[in-house]
Amino acid sequence: MSGSANAEVTLVRLQTDDGNVYRGELIRQTAEVVVLNVEGIDASFDQEDIAVFEILESPEQLYQRRRAELAKDDLAGRLALAREMRDLDALRWAKLELMSLDRDFPEHPVVRDELAIVEAHQRLAQTRADDADNPRRDLPRRPERRGEVEGDEFLSSRQINLIKVYEVDLSTEPRIVISDETLDSFFQKYSDNRLVPTGRRDRGAFKRLDGHEQLDLMFRVQARDLYDQVDVRQEPTPLARFRRTVNPQYVARYFAPTFGHGEIPGLSLFNKRPEDEAEAYTNFYRLTQFRYEGTPMIDRANPKLSLMLQWGLARESARFPAPDIPGWKPAFSSTDDTEYQRYVDWIDSLFKEDLDYGITPALSDELE
């Protein structure tokens, strides 16, 4: 979190219209925007996209208030409090209460199980801290092979889900389901990695973690061969924005008919059902993977230099002017155009590193 240790901190729970939930320190709030510090990263949210906005007590304040309301022998109430602290990632207070419960209810199996789960959370948190202190760590999101989707075929549902896995923002605590069978494979294949739980108790506790926490460890271990077995039930916000807004309003209306129907060799885009998941994700995939004379269609590091936006500017205003195509017209009046800025912001919301999803024609629904 930013700010000095003695500064008054306002904690906020925010839910966007697409269902994603964020918790963090309030940095700035205006009539147009809310800025939160979420796990050390300043994230900006348009007020019009916010469905729920709540000021929260600090974890310590919440714990102290709730604990004062509970009797010492209220096992169920105290367990619920510990679980709430765990869900808020207030692991210190969760463990404090569970250790107190362990003294008051010696050898109680539920208390011991809950304590094991919290300790598993703490080990994951320590792993994150160790990774942050190691600038040479291998980034877990880059697969080892580069794949192709050929012809005019849409991506399969498995390929779409794999893109969601790579693009998911775990800090939003998305709904993710990983089967016990996949977790057992993970334990077996990566048992030599020090981060992977060993022993029945630790593995059982890991299986009871939320899916996004399980996937976090799979990312850190780089269990790429298992990513396509992860079920992402909540569409990552940047992908939802592309499917609902960017693809139908810009790619399908302007970019695909202008550049994506044979005008640029190798670039094939769809625009018949722009909000359809298969069509939208296929366009997204192809745009992220395609380069023209070495310049990317979507430049995650420098959004304004993305060709999909540069080619929509008047040639005299563009750093990379649009190719000479009959009938071409600019989509934006200038770089101050509201629509242009909206799409720049969308690209800026993507992960900054290029992602090679490892998609190949073999990864299809026929294999399921």
Side-chain angles (χ1 to χ4, degrees), residues 321-346:
D324 188 11
I325 293 175
W328 171 87
K329 294 181 180 179
F332 312 114
S333 59
S334 70
T335 55
D336 294 326
D337 190 306
T338 301
E339 291 299 300
Y340 172 82
Q341 291 294 335
R342 180 178 300 175
Y343 302 138
V344 168
D345 290 343
W346 168 72

Side-chain angles (χ1 to χ4, degrees), residues 72 74-76 78-80 82-83 86 94-119 201 205 208:
K72 184 176 181 180
D74 186 355
L75 173 61
R78 293 173 65 187
L79 275 173
R83 288 166 180 156
R86 184 195 70 197
K95 187 171 183 178
L96 178 68
E97 186 60 31
L98 288 167
M99 291 180 68
S100 177
L101 278 167
D102 194 36
R103 291 191 295 271
D104 295 338
F105 301 88
E107 306 296 330
H108 194 289
V110 175
V111 173
R112 287 298 177 90
D113 285 347
E114 290 293 328
L115 188 56
I117 292 173
V118 168
E119 289 172 343
R201 182 186 177 192
R208 291 190 290 275

Side-chain angles (χ1 to χ4, degrees), residues 1 12-14 19-25 36-45 87-89 128 141 165-176 210-213 215-216 219-220 234 236-238 349 351:
M1 298 281 182
V12 168
R13 175 184 177 274
L14 180 151
N20 286 321
V21 177
Y22 305 84
R23 291 184 179 89
E25 175 187 337
L36 299 184
N37 186 289
V38 181
E39 295 190 357
I41 299 174
D42 286 355
S44 179
F45 304 88
D87 291 342
L88 292 173
D89 209 27
R128 295 187 186 104
R141 299 182 177 277
V165 171
Y166 276 98
E167 293 285 352
V168 73
D169 182 356
L170 297 181
S171 70
T172 65
E173 302 182 6
R175 295 189 300 274
I176 291 174
D210 291 336
H212 65 89
E213 294 169 302
L215 181 58
D216 180 69
F219 277 155
R220 294 175 188 283
Q234 188 169 327
T237 298
S349 73
F351 285 112

